[in-house]
Amino acid sequence: MVATILLSGCVDKTVKIGDNISVNYTGSFEDGRVFDTSIESVAKANDLTPRDIYEPLKFTVGEKPSAVIEGFDKGVIGMRVGQTKMLTIPPEQAYPINPGMIQVSPIVQYLPATRTIPRVFEIPLEQFEQYFGENRSVGDVVQIPDTNINLTIKNITSEVSLIYNLKVGSNIWDASAHGMRRF
């Protein structure tokens, strides 16, 4: 968050607790997306929902309850009139979490009871050799790493044609699925 102090009620012109100050600010996420500002031109440039009034934010530093988030309140202490400062505010000093506002949305994913896989498939020779090694011949049986799935080499050119060695109802251990699957 960037804060520019425009006005301070303190004598030495350094902000301290109890001072009434007025700041222009721009709040943004770590990726740079602006979510709030007191400056109309910044709001327009970032397509924010327009406000009726754009003006500096006025508050008393350290006042409880505070008109600003804790990290902003602490971040202005020690600043001088007219100074610009970038504040990185940790979550615990930012907007409070209200558990009542958190909504749980169930994620439902329907998976078919059966899965059809092509009997024959092709992969580039280089990729095949990376997984199964070199010097393989047509008719050799290879096993897909981290599974119990066997394949027979049907053809070898710049691509390798492979046939699954499966029957209807075969149980296949698929490491990516963390368990058995029936095909």
Side-chain angles (χ1 to χ4, degrees):
M1 194 171 290
V2 177
T4 305
I5 296 182
L6 301 175
L7 189 59
S8 177
C10 53
V11 177
D12 67 3
K13 298 188 182 185
T14 299
V15 176
K16 60 186 180 305
I17 292 176
D19 287 345
N20 292 313
I21 64 170
S22 176
V23 298
N24 272 316
Y25 67 92
T26 298
S28 62
F29 297 109
E30 287 181 349
D31 65 5
R33 287 181 298 134
V34 173
F35 64 84
D36 191 17
T37 184
S38 62
I39 306 165
E40 186 173 12
S41 62
V42 173
K44 286 181 179 179
N46 289 279
D47 296 321
L48 298 183
T49 304
R51 292 184 185 173
D52 291 335
I53 300 171
Y54 288 91
E55 61 184 20
L57 175 64
K58 296 175 176 103
F59 67 100
T60 302
V61 179
E63 182 178 64
K64 300 294 181 205
S66 181
V68 297
I69 60 175
E70 180 184 358
F72 191 87
D73 193 40
K74 288 180 177 180
V76 298
I77 296 172
M79 290 182 68
R80 298 192 186 294
V81 173
Q83 180 182 358
T84 299
K85 182 177 182 181
M86 177 77 72
L87 302 176
T88 301
I89 300 173
E92 60 274 6
Q93 292 183 9
Y95 299 98
I97 296 173
N98 180 347
M101 297 295 291
I102 298 173
Q103 295 180 3
V104 177
S105 298
I107 298 174
V108 178
Q109 181 179 9
Y110 294 99
L111 300 173
T114 59
R115 182 174 167 194
T116 304
I117 56 174
R119 179 142 171 83
V120 179
F121 68 97
E122 294 182 342
I123 63 172
L125 178 60
E126 185 177 297
Q127 184 180 359
F128 173 83
E129 289 176 341
Q130 178 183 351
Y131 288 108
F132 302 107
E134 298 178 10
N135 301 321
R136 298 291 186 157
S137 303
V138 172
D140 285 354
V141 175
V142 295
Q143 187 175 47
I144 298 176
D146 299 321
T147 72
N148 67 341
I149 302 172
N150 291 319
L151 308 166
T152 301
I153 300 171
K154 180 179 177 186
N155 191 21
I156 301 175
T157 59
S158 62
E159 292 190 332
V160 178
S161 298
L162 299 161
I163 300 173
Y164 284 101
N165 297 346
L166 301 174
K167 295 181 235 150
V168 173
S170 293
N171 285 320
I172 298 173
W173 170 192
D174 178 358
S176 65
H178 306 291
M180 297 290 283
R181 285 192 179 175
R182 190 184 244 354
F183 288 93

